[in-house]
Amino acid sequence: MKSAFPCGALLGGLLGLACGTPPPESAPQAPPPASAERRAGPAEPVADCPATGVAVDPLPRTTLEHEQLDYWLARTAQIADLDRPLFTPRELAAHNARIARRDFFGASARADLLAPVDPARLADDLNTRLGYLRGKFESAAYVNPDGAAMTPEQIAALTPVLDAGAFAELPVEVRVALDLIPIRCAPQREPYYTPTRDLAFDRNLCSMARAQEPVQILRPWDGGLALARTPYVMGWIDLGSAALSPPLAPEQVRRFSDGPFVRAARDFDVPEDMSSRTGPKIHVPFASLLPTAARRGEVLLAGPGGVVTRPVDAALVSARERPLTRRAVLTEAFSFLHRPYGWGDYAGGRDCSRYLMDMFGGLGLVLPRHTSDQAIAGEVEELAPDLPEAERLRRIDAAHRRGVVLLHFPGHIMLYLGRDDAGAAMAIHSFAEYLVPCPGRTDGAPAGERETLLKVDGVHVSDLELGRGTSRGAFVQRISKITVLAPPPPEPRP
C-alpha cells in the first residue's frame, strides 16, 4: 500500500495523506468499504487467477481466537505488566506537546485552534501545496473522474501566488461538525484520481471531519468553498452543505479542543430539546470525544442550535482520562475490530492512520493524521530493506517488550500484537487489500502477473505473511520503521 505522495512531514501534512494505496503498477480497483456480507465472501482464488477477489474472514492463518481481546491480553501478560502505566501524566503531556511542534512534524503538526494564525506561515504552507498539486495536474498524474486531463481552469486555480496579505485580519471562527464533512485537498469540490480512476481512492479527499469535532473556518474561498482546518488536517470544505454548529465562544473552543473528555463507546442519539421526545436529535458516533460538563455524568454536545449540556448514560461512554496501559491500548484497539476501511475516511470508514489516531486519542495520546508522521511519533528504529527476516522479527519483538509498537512501511501502519501460541507475529490494522500469488507465479514476475488482489476493507487481525510471493512481498519484508510509543526524552537544559 505505497503512497503516491512523498513521505516527508511537510508534504504529508499539506496534502492530508492518510493511508497509502498499492504501488502504481498494481493499483487496486477497490469498491466502497466492505459490508459484513462481503467480508464473509469466497475463499482465495484458484488456478484461473482472477485479477481481484474478496478475502476470507478471518484472514488466512488468522483464527477466531486471534480476534479475541482476552487472547491477546493473556499473550501480552507473558512479556509485560498489563496494568503498568506506559506514561506518567507529565510524560503524556510532553508527548502530546511534541506532536504540535512544527520543527518535528512540519505542516502535519497538531494545530491549536485557540492560538493566533500566522498569516505568512499559512500562505507558505498553501503555496507549497498548490504548487505540488499543480505539477500533478499538469503531468496528468491526477485526472478527472472520466479520465480526462485537468482543464486549464482547474490548473489555474492551483497557481501558488498567495501572500500573508491574503490572510491578514482573518475572521477566524470555530464551529463543531454535526455530521461527516469532506475536507478537500484542493480548492474544488470535484474528486480527482490517479489514471486508474479507482473510485474508492479520491485523491481530493484529505480527510473527513466527524460529528462533534471542532472545525476552524479560516477564510472564505471562491465558489462557496472555505479554507478550514481541524486540529489534524487543513483543506477546503463546501460551506453551503457542511453540517456545522453556530460559532463557539472561546471557552467552548477550549473545551471541544482540550477536554477533559469521555469517549463514545457506540453510536447514540441525544435529544437536542429535552422537553420534546419527538424533536430533532444530536447524533454522537462511535469514538467521538465529548467534553465533560461541570456536573458528573453530563457532557457538552453541539447541535444546530448551539452547545448544550446533556446527561449521558455511563454505559454509552468510556473514560478518556485513565492510565495509558497495555491493557487499555488492547481494549481500545479491539473495540474497532471489523469496522470498515475508508481512504481519507471515505464513506465514514477509517484508513490505517485514522484508526490509530482515533484509537489512541480515546486514551488521551495524540498522534498525527498521516502514516509517515505517526511512524516518527515515538522511538524509531529504521530497518534496512536487505535486513534478514529473522533479524527483523527479533528487533520487532525486542521493541514490543519495551512498549507499544507501531510497524510502518511506506503508506501503511499497523499496531503490533506480538506472537501467537504458535510463534506467528501478528498485528491489528485497518487496510484495503493484499496480494496473493497464483499457482505458477515465478519469483521476480512483473506486478499483476499471476497474482490476485483480495479486498479486505476493514480493521482486522492478520499475520505479517500476507503478500508473500507477490510483487509487493510479505508485510514483514516491507516494514521500514519500528516505532515504540514512549515518552519523549527530556529537553536539554539551557
Side-chain angles (χ1 to χ4, degrees), residues 444-468:
E449 181 177 303
R450 303 299 301 165
E451 57 186 13
T452 299
L453 187 75
L454 295 182
K455 308 298 187 292
V456 179
D457 287 332
V459 178
H460 288 269
V461 174
S462 80
D463 64 14
L464 303 184
E465 287 292 300
L466 294 183
R468 176 80 66 184

Side-chain angles (χ1 to χ4, degrees), residues 44-114:
E44 295 186 25
V46 291
D48 59 341
C49 199
T52 61
V54 179
V56 294
D57 183 20
L59 294 167
R61 300 172 298 280
T62 298
T63 68
L64 292 176
E65 190 176 36
H66 286 138
E67 296 189 330
Q68 299 302 311
L69 169 63
D70 287 346
Y71 177 84
W72 290 107
L73 290 174
R75 293 296 303 167
T76 306
Q78 296 181 18
I79 65 161
D81 183 346
L82 287 174
D83 297 307
R84 180 180 67 83
L86 300 168
F87 292 75
T88 66
R90 183 186 295 271
E91 289 169 340
L92 186 59
H95 166 89
N96 291 346
R98 181 176 179 269
I99 304 303
R101 290 179 56 174
R102 284 183 64 101
D103 55 336
F104 282 107
F105 294 100
S108 296
R110 194 81 170 183
D112 180 355
L113 302 189
L114 281 167

Side-chain angles (χ1 to χ4, degrees), residues 67-68 332-339 355 428 459-461:
E67 296 189 330
Q68 299 302 311
E332 289 290 304
F334 276 83
S335 71
F336 289 79
L337 189 68
H338 293 155
R339 290 186 177 270
Y355 163 53
I428 184 170
V459 178
H460 288 269
V461 174

Side-chain angles (χ1 to χ4, degrees), residues 2 41 57 60 96 180 230 264 283 297 316 415 441:
K2 284 186 179 178
D57 183 20
N96 291 346
L180 289 170
T230 69
H283 180 62
L316 297 176
L415 175 68
R441 180 176 172 82

Side-chain angles (χ1 to χ4, degrees), residues 225-275:
L225 300 177
L227 181 66
R229 67 177 180 177
T230 69
Y232 54 84
V233 70
M234 180 171 67
W236 286 266
I237 65 173
D238 185 336
L239 202 54
S241 64
L244 290 164
S245 74
L248 301 183
E251 175 57 20
Q252 292 171 332
V253 176
R254 188 193 68 77
R255 298 299 302 279
F256 276 86
S257 298
D258 300 336
F261 300 103
V262 293
R263 193 205 74 157
R266 64 171 189 255
D267 289 13
F268 62 92
D269 296 311
V270 175
E272 185 175 11
D273 181 358
M274 293 295 287
S275 65

Side-chain angles (χ1 to χ4, degrees), residues 427-493:
I428 184 170
H429 49 135
S430 184
F431 63 122
E433 82 304 294
Y434 67 97
L435 283 171
V436 295
C438 298
R441 180 176 172 82
T442 58
D443 290 343
E449 181 177 303
R450 303 299 301 165
E451 57 186 13
T452 299
L453 187 75
L454 295 182
K455 308 298 187 292
V456 179
D457 287 332
V459 178
H460 288 269
V461 174
S462 80
D463 64 14
L464 303 184
E465 287 292 300
L466 294 183
R468 176 80 66 184
T470 69
S471 58
R472 298 183 200 168
F475 286 175
V476 66
Q477 296 172 310
R478 301 166 66 187
I479 293 168
S480 56
K481 289 186 179 72
I482 301 169
T483 305
V484 181
L485 294 180
E491 293 288 333
R493 293 185 177 181

